Amino acid sequence: MRKLFGTDGIRAVAGEAPLDPKTIYAVGVALAHQLKANAHEPTVVLGMDTRESSGWIAAALTAGLVHGGATANSAGVVTTPAIAYLARKHKFSAGVVISASHNPWYDNGIKIFGGDGYKLPDETELRIEDEIFRQLESVTAPEPQNLSAPPVNPEFRADYEAFLLSAVPGLKLNGLKLVLDCANGAASAIAPELFAHLGGCVQLTHATPDGRNINADCGALHPAVVAAETKANADIGVTFDGDADRALFADANGNVVNGDAILLLAARDLKARNLLKGNTIVATTMSNMGLEAALRRDKIKMLRAPVGDKYVLEVMQANSASLGGEQSGHILFPHLATTGDGLLTALVVLDIVRRSGKSLAGLIADLKVFPQVIVNIRVKEKTPLDQIDTVAASIRAAESELNGNGRVVVRYSGTEPLARVMIEAESEKTMRHHAEAISEAIRDALGA
């Protein structure tokens, strides 16, 4: 099992292991050594979000990369998918993003993409982990204050913005009122320039990062914020997370439109244009049964993957699917990009709305969701849940009563010390009863 890498890279409190200077330096050395197996002089492109720790982490990582024999380049503050795109376009050996995505400002993380623009396979991350632990036995990291990140090349961000505009040729937003919540994160550096090319009336909110306000009561973790603003002032709202690899939406009525709804409208649009391969999409275990039912009416098959966009992509590739994503707003358009991209998703959705002549609410009006609740429980350790008798018994009781007319998904977060309990049921009372029973069993056994 991986000890450092979760479902989306390495993530922790900045300054504490495994995001202390020595480990970060070791990550750079280990990554450079892995890359040298395929390139004599490997090159890496770095990007970061707006956390106050991102600068010194970039500097420590760069020092490790250089020590390991690689050359580092910087795109500065850009989104995670921007680095995936740039790594592929400019033929870098790898791309690295310094971000903790939707986590609070005091956390940070390291995400690594291969030169092909895809997240690393689990087995590659395991090899890098082994090398990191070997490096930790011998390396002495220089003091971060004595280090510096590479100079920022502004052409990288311009390249990425040009790609986004080319992905939806002819899109014009004239006559449309939009609210964009940038979460005080990486989208703050790109969204203003990008949407200036598209017309329309655009209201930018939470686009003034100060190093500590990323995701703070805004962004994709708090979609009700943009929904309220949209109901008051706009036709459509879009909200990103800290590194803008996902997006959620709001319609003119102030309703939150999540990733399930976006998958539905995108699947219908692709099918209408004969672009939905095999009439199949890939969602996750967390997607609502209502999505599955709506797709079935359109003769579209939905496969389910484990949570994590890299796992969605694996199932998509195995089934040659042309659309996949998560309820949280990670949407994958493999004909356009190698990874989930919130800004790209926003443009695609806006393009569908414009071409259809319908409102966002109208496009998904028939999506009837089952009552669903998700409870997060902070845990002190991640013991396999099937090994805890009380937890396993509570899960079996829920599944037995639902008897196929609902779903139970209980799993650990891949990025935080949390257990997540998701229950869907036709009856809200039944749903909440079982959610609380399972959550209480987990708290009693593992609660932090």
Side-chain angles (χ1 to χ4, degrees):
M1 291 183 61
R2 294 168 299 171
K3 298 181 179 66
L4 298 177
F5 287 90
T7 55
D8 205 11
I10 300 170
R11 198 174 295 184
V13 175
E16 299 180 9
L19 278 182
D20 58 298
K22 183 176 181 179
T23 307
I24 294 166
Y25 182 81
V27 170
V29 176
L31 176 59
H33 286 174
Q34 288 295 316
L35 297 176
K36 290 193 78 170
N38 297 309
H40 178 62
E41 297 180 348
T43 56
V44 178
V45 59
L46 303 179
M48 67 186 77
D49 69 18
T50 56
R51 296 162 209 270
E52 66 178 19
S53 60
S54 292
W56 71 258
I57 292 174
L61 186 68
T62 296
L65 287 167
V66 171
H67 181 82
T71 300
N73 304 263
S74 177
V77 174
V78 293
T79 66
T80 286
I83 291 300
Y85 170 77
L86 292 167
R88 186 175 180 131
K89 181 188 177 185
H90 292 285
K91 297 180 170 56
F92 286 104
S93 307
V96 180
V97 186
I98 298 161
S99 173
S101 188
H102 58 275
N103 285 31
W105 69 270
Y106 47 78
D107 289 344
N108 217 322
I110 297 172
K111 305 182 186 185
I112 305 174
F113 292 89
D116 58 1
Y118 290 98
K119 292 181 179 178
L120 299 181
D122 291 354
E123 57 268 23
T124 303
E125 290 181 342
L126 277 170
R127 288 199 301 271
I128 293 174
E129 275 196 5
D130 289 343
E131 171 76 2
I132 291 169
F133 289 124
R134 289 197 298 272
Q135 290 296 327
L136 285 172
E137 295 176 358
S138 58
V139 300
T140 301
E143 293 296 325
Q145 61 267 27
N146 298 327
L147 304 173
S148 60
V152 175
N153 183 343
E155 293 183 7
F156 289 143
R157 193 169 79 189
D159 281 351
Y160 172 63
E161 291 175 5
F163 152 70
L164 290 173
L165 292 171
S166 70
V168 284
L171 175 62
K172 293 297 179 184
L173 303 178
N174 297 334
L176 204 63
K177 293 181 179 179
L178 300 177
V179 177
L180 301 180
D181 183 339
C182 296
N184 293 314
S188 304
I190 296 174
E193 296 175 357
L194 177 67
F195 280 84
H197 293 282
L198 299 174
C201 178
V202 179
Q203 177 186 345
L204 288 162
T205 65
H206 305 107
T208 53
D210 64 9
R212 294 192 173 193
N213 61 358
I214 187 170
N215 300 315
D217 299 319
C218 60
L221 280 188
H222 304 276
V225 174
V226 80
E229 191 68 39
T230 303
K231 183 177 183 180
N233 298 302
D235 302 304
I236 297 177
V238 189
T239 183
F240 307 102
D241 62 339
D243 65 339
D245 61 353
R246 59 182 168 125
L248 295 176
F249 296 79
D251 65 24
N253 301 315
N255 298 312
V256 173
V257 178
N258 68 14
D260 282 354
I262 298 309
L263 284 173
L264 178 61
L265 68 87
R268 287 172 168 169
D269 179 69
L270 288 171
K271 184 179 180 184
R273 295 188 287 144
N274 296 315
L275 296 175
L276 190 66
K277 296 179 183 177
N279 287 333
T280 298
I281 75 160
V282 179
T284 75
T285 54
M286 303 300 280
S287 283
N288 195 278
M289 291 178 73
L291 170 61
E292 201 164 2
L295 290 166
R296 192 181 302 118
R297 291 193 293 271
D298 286 318
K299 296 181 171 55
I300 298 172
K301 181 180 180 181
M302 188 179 96
L303 304 177
R304 291 186 185 269
V307 172
D309 61 339
K310 68 188 288 184
Y311 303 121
V312 173
L313 181 62
E314 287 176 2
V315 176
M316 290 175 67
Q317 291 173 331
N319 292 275
S320 300
S322 46
L323 176 66
E326 301 185 275
Q327 194 180 62
S328 61
H330 286 108
I331 308 296
L332 293 161
F333 302 100
H335 63 293
L336 296 175
T338 58
T339 191
D341 186 330
L343 288 163
L344 176 62
T345 299
L347 297 183
V348 169
V349 169
L350 291 168
D351 186 47
I352 292 171
V353 169
R354 295 302 264 179
R355 285 188 287 103
S356 72
K358 298 179 180 180
S359 68
L360 178 57
L363 286 168
I364 55 171
D366 64 326
L367 176 60
K368 307 301 181 186
V369 300
F370 274 48
Q372 182 187 83
V373 64
I374 299 174
V375 181
N376 295 317
I377 306 102
R378 188 161 292 274
V379 295
K380 59 190 175 187
E381 60 187 21
K382 295 182 178 180
T383 303
L385 294 167
D386 59 2
Q387 295 180 13
I388 305 172
D389 291 343
T390 53
V391 174
S394 64
I395 293 172
R396 285 196 301 271
E399 291 173 335
S400 176
E401 182 172 344
L402 292 173
N403 193 29
N405 294 312
R407 294 192 307 125
V408 180
V409 180
V410 185
R411 66 180 185 90
Y412 290 117
S413 167
T415 57
E416 299 174 88
L418 297 173
R420 303 196 196 278
V421 177
M422 189 280 286
I423 306 284
E424 279 177 6
E426 293 179 299
S427 161
E428 184 161 349
K429 181 179 179 181
T430 299
M431 171 193 75
R432 295 197 178 279
H433 166 72
H434 288 297
E436 184 52 39
I438 296 170
S439 300
E440 193 60 34
I442 294 173
R443 286 191 198 98
D444 289 345
L446 301 172

